[in-house]
Amino acid sequence: MAPRRPVFSVCWFLLLLLSSVCGGRRLRGESTALTLESVRKFLTREEDSIVFSLIERAKYPRNAPAYDPSYLGSPAKFHGLSLVELFVRETEAVQAKAGRYENPVEIPFFPRHMTLTLAPPYDFPNELHAAAAAVNVSGTIWREYLDGWLPQITSQGDDGNYAPTAAADLVCLQALSRRIHYGRYVAEAKYRDAPQDYNTAIRAQDRDALMKLLTFEGQEDAVKRRVEEKAKVFGQDVTLGKRADDGGNATDYKVDPVVVYRLYGDWVIPMTKMVQVEYLLRRLD
Amino acid sequence: MAPRRPVFSVCWFLLLLLSSVCGGRRLRGESTALTLESVRKFLTREEDSIVFSLIERAKYPRNAPAYDPSYLGSPAKFHGLSLVELFVRETEAVQAKAGRYENPVEIPFFPRHMTLTLAPPYDFPNELHAAAAAVNVSGTIWREYLDGWLPQITSQGDDGNYAPTAAADLVCLQALSRRIHYGRYVAEAKYRDAPQDYNTAIRAQDRDALMKLLTFEGQEDAVKRRVEEKAKVFGQDVTLGKRADDGGNATDYKVDPVVVYRLYGDWVIPMTKMVQVEYLLRRLD
């Protein structure tokens, strides 16, 4: 019923070229309302997105063939890539066309030379210091999510749903990447709030001193306990007339809340701080 | 850091053709363990996915330009399609390559002539009666989600994040479509459980009688109240030491629980029953 007006890829590609020739460059907005409070709100809301995405990935079993390059055939056939990597590359290309990466909050895992967008320019706010904005740990996020964390949030098994599995992985990866790379905004907000606190360490290019300035163990502990709580609240089986209480076992939840606690404590928070340090090191360039 | 091995679309396309020529047809599995209980479990889990997807879409404002065909330029330029429709068509094409629609549980909004898959065949169970499996209400779901429900779950506004908005819409649409089209499985399970209850109405092609046989108001009421509760539980702001209680206002939640109640009561449940009726009408063909 739906497909009334066919669109062909070649057609789209030609129009894309035309659009890039005729269209103007995006005008970057001036800095707006980046504050410690706006940063805190963003990070808190992203926790929900991350927990939802993990729960939705855990709906499918491990589905190992989707990550095994040999599954698609001989190594030469698809450059030795896995189904998930091919899927993410192609999906990111579609999202780039629709303008996703024009917003500097979003960073692709596989940036392409062709980053043209079909959409007219949108005036996204430009909050970051230009010389520091390019901090990028996408490669590490990709590797550590797939090799380290994915096995902990999924059960053994193979149900053949590799495309929904890859789509769910991409949502997890995008949410984690957005959160970790938001360290650039966190650092910028902190720097604007009290530049004098950071200037000496930045001039000395002193990583350890910066890390110390950015570390608040009490706050980090509260975040870890809150995401564990979110994994319990969002991952419970909701039934009428009762809600899960804190006494539940890991098996009562769709993703183990202790794994989510460690995901943040051992990885997301340290990675975000690393991004903050790298950003600040370039903040006076 | 990530892009070490470039893949080009043309290359992929040629390999896709090669794969389709060399690869065998998927062997369909025999019927397995479809029961009233397995159907109930599937539908209950899908409620969580639907509520998560609505909450994630509501993170972005309405973003009206993404739905306005004139936003991308003159009507001739992109066949008069909106950014969201172009985005969904292209994303579904990538998901088709990765084998999504080989599983009969999944139905695309824009089926293409090119539905080749890169992945080797997977033996998905074949639970449906062949003559009835093609029941399809994708066009209605697309239209009523975008025109009717989307304005009720989003706030006015435009933040320029059209690609993440379109991606969030696709997740909503896929979850709703999977749930509504699962009516085929619901009908099959009910028919297998007690064929004698349905045969007379099917032979008489009596829609009203079938609808009556499929209607259990008490059960439907419980489902509506449960999804409303899920919207409260999953859409609350989780803070340490307290959880939202039932006395909250609509504004305390990321999506209004009353809208989710009506989404199910006025639309998802009636649509699923319509799919069940259409399936049963062909069950003896």
Side-chain angles (χ1 to χ4, degrees):
Chain A
M1 313 200 172
R4 298 172 313 277
R5 295 158 295 187
V7 173
F8 301 100
S9 289
V10 172
C11 192
W12 177 312
F13 182 73
L14 290 173
L15 288 165
L16 180 67
L17 281 176
L18 185 72
S19 154
S20 73
V21 171
C22 304
R25 289 182 67 84
R26 177 154 308 187
L27 296 168
R28 291 284 170 192
E30 283 306 298
S31 179
T32 54
L34 186 72
T35 63
L36 292 172
E37 177 59 17
S38 73
V39 161
R40 192 196 59 73
K41 274 181 73 171
F42 182 95
L43 294 178
T44 306
R45 178 63 187 83
E46 285 302 295
E47 290 164 13
D48 296 40
S49 293
I50 288 173
V51 174
F52 292 154
S53 72
L54 297 174
I55 290 171
E56 287 299 274
R57 174 59 186 85
K59 196 169 155 179
Y60 302 101
R62 187 80 37 87
N63 281 338
Y67 308 92
D68 176 3
S70 73
Y71 176 67
L72 290 180
S74 70
K77 199 171 169 190
F78 295 109
H79 305 266
L81 301 182
S82 68
L83 184 143
V84 165
E85 186 162 344
L86 283 166
F87 180 93
V88 170
R89 285 171 182 260
E90 291 291 310
T91 306
E92 281 195 339
V94 175
Q95 301 210 349
K97 286 183 199 171
R100 183 178 194 111
Y101 306 109
E102 297 299 302
N103 184 345
V105 168
E106 305 279 353
I107 295 178
F109 287 91
F110 302 103
R112 295 175 160 238
H113 296 296
M114 188 188 81
T115 53
L116 306 172
T117 171
L118 292 172
Y122 184 88
D123 192 24
F124 285 107
N126 179 17
E127 310 276 14
L128 300 175
H129 183 66
V135 173
N136 187 322
V137 293
S138 296
T140 309
I141 295 169
W142 173 268
R143 205 165 45 246
E144 295 187 359
Y145 167 77
L146 291 178
D147 297 343
W149 295 102
L150 188 60
Q152 299 184 59
I153 59 163
T154 49
S155 59
Q156 287 289 356
D158 179 356
D159 69 358
N161 286 306
Y162 307 140
T165 293
D169 278 329
L170 178 55
V171 176
C172 290
L173 283 160
Q174 286 175 331
L176 290 162
S177 171
R178 197 165 46 234
R179 201 291 181 189
I180 290 168
H181 285 117
Y182 204 75
R184 298 170 300 155
Y185 293 83
V186 178
E188 178 64 25
K190 286 179 177 173
Y191 182 81
R192 283 191 206 171
D193 189 56
Q196 67 284 1
D197 290 358
Y198 300 95
N199 282 336
T200 311
I202 295 171
R203 289 201 186 93
Q205 292 286 292
D206 187 340
R207 280 192 161 73
D208 294 344
L210 286 171
M211 188 58 90
K212 215 165 170 180
L213 286 167
L214 296 166
T215 300
F216 300 92
E217 281 181 14
Q219 272 181 26
E220 292 174 15
D221 188 56
V223 171
K224 288 186 273 183
R225 285 187 295 118
R226 189 170 60 222
V227 293
E228 181 181 26
E229 178 72 5
K230 287 183 178 183
K232 288 180 182 173
V233 173
F234 303 153
Q236 66 183 301
D237 284 333
V238 174
T239 50
L240 289 173
K242 85 169 187 68
R243 292 183 188 175
D245 54 33
D246 290 315
N249 299 314
T251 51
D252 293 339
Y253 304 108
K254 295 182 184 72
V255 168
D256 184 351
V258 174
V259 171
V260 177
Y261 178 96
R262 288 197 293 100
L263 176 91
Y264 259 72
D266 296 350
W267 192 52
V268 171
I269 293 174
M271 285 285 283
T272 308
K273 280 162 63 181
M274 197 178 86
V275 168
Q276 290 182 62
V277 169
E278 293 301 318
Y279 181 91
L280 287 174
L281 286 170
R282 306 175 199 183
R283 184 59 182 76
L284 297 176
D285 291 1
Chain B
M1 312 198 169
R4 299 174 311 278
R5 295 158 295 188
V7 174
F8 302 100
S9 289
V10 171
C11 192
W12 176 312
F13 182 74
L14 290 173
L15 288 164
L16 180 68
L17 280 177
L18 186 73
S19 156
S20 73
V21 171
C22 303
R25 288 182 67 85
R26 176 153 307 184
L27 296 167
R28 293 282 172 193
E30 283 306 299
S31 181
T32 55
L34 186 73
T35 62
L36 292 173
E37 176 59 17
S38 72
V39 161
R40 193 195 58 74
K41 275 182 73 171
F42 182 94
L43 294 178
T44 306
R45 178 62 187 85
E46 285 302 294
E47 289 164 13
D48 295 40
S49 294
I50 288 172
V51 174
F52 292 154
S53 71
L54 298 174
I55 290 171
E56 287 299 274
R57 174 59 186 86
K59 196 171 157 179
Y60 302 101
R62 186 82 37 87
N63 281 338
Y67 308 92
D68 176 2
S70 72
Y71 176 68
L72 290 180
S74 69
K77 200 172 169 189
F78 296 110
H79 304 267
L81 301 183
S82 68
L83 185 143
V84 165
E85 186 162 343
L86 282 166
F87 181 94
V88 170
R89 285 170 183 259
E90 290 292 310
T91 306
E92 282 194 337
V94 175
Q95 300 209 350
K97 285 183 198 171
R100 184 178 193 111
Y101 307 108
E102 297 299 302
N103 184 343
V105 168
E106 305 278 353
I107 295 179
F109 286 91
F110 302 102
R112 295 174 160 240
H113 295 297
M114 188 187 80
T115 52
L116 306 172
T117 173
L118 292 172
Y122 184 89
D123 193 23
F124 286 105
N126 180 18
E127 310 276 13
L128 300 175
H129 183 67
V135 174
N136 187 322
V137 292
S138 295
T140 309
I141 295 170
W142 174 269
R143 205 165 45 246
E144 295 188 359
Y145 166 77
L146 291 177
D147 297 343
W149 296 102
L150 187 59
Q152 299 185 58
I153 60 163
T154 50
S155 59
Q156 286 289 354
D158 179 356
D159 70 358
N161 286 305
Y162 307 140
T165 293
D169 277 329
L170 179 55
V171 176
C172 291
L173 283 160
Q174 286 175 332
L176 289 163
S177 170
R178 197 165 46 235
R179 201 290 180 191
I180 290 169
H181 286 117
Y182 204 75
R184 297 169 301 156
Y185 293 83
V186 178
E188 178 64 25
K190 286 178 177 172
Y191 183 82
R192 284 191 205 169
D193 189 57
Q196 68 285 359
D197 291 357
Y198 300 95
N199 282 337
T200 310
I202 295 172
R203 288 201 187 93
Q205 293 287 290
D206 186 341
R207 279 190 163 75
D208 294 343
L210 286 171
M211 187 59 88
K212 214 165 172 181
L213 286 167
L214 295 167
T215 298
F216 300 93
E217 280 180 14
Q219 270 181 27
E220 292 173 16
D221 188 55
V223 170
K224 287 186 273 182
R225 285 186 295 119
R226 189 169 60 220
V227 293
E228 182 182 25
E229 177 72 6
K230 288 183 178 183
K232 288 180 182 175
V233 173
F234 303 152
Q236 66 183 300
D237 284 334
V238 175
T239 50
L240 289 172
K242 84 167 187 66
R243 293 184 188 174
D245 55 33
D246 290 314
N249 300 316
T251 51
D252 293 340
Y253 305 108
K254 296 183 183 72
V255 167
D256 184 352
V258 175
V259 171
V260 177
Y261 178 96
R262 288 197 293 100
L263 176 91
Y264 259 72
D266 296 350
W267 192 52
V268 171
I269 292 173
M271 285 284 285
T272 308
K273 280 162 63 181
M274 197 178 87
V275 167
Q276 290 182 61
V277 169
E278 293 301 318
Y279 181 92
L280 287 173
L281 286 170
R282 307 176 199 182
R283 184 59 183 76
L284 296 177
D285 290 1

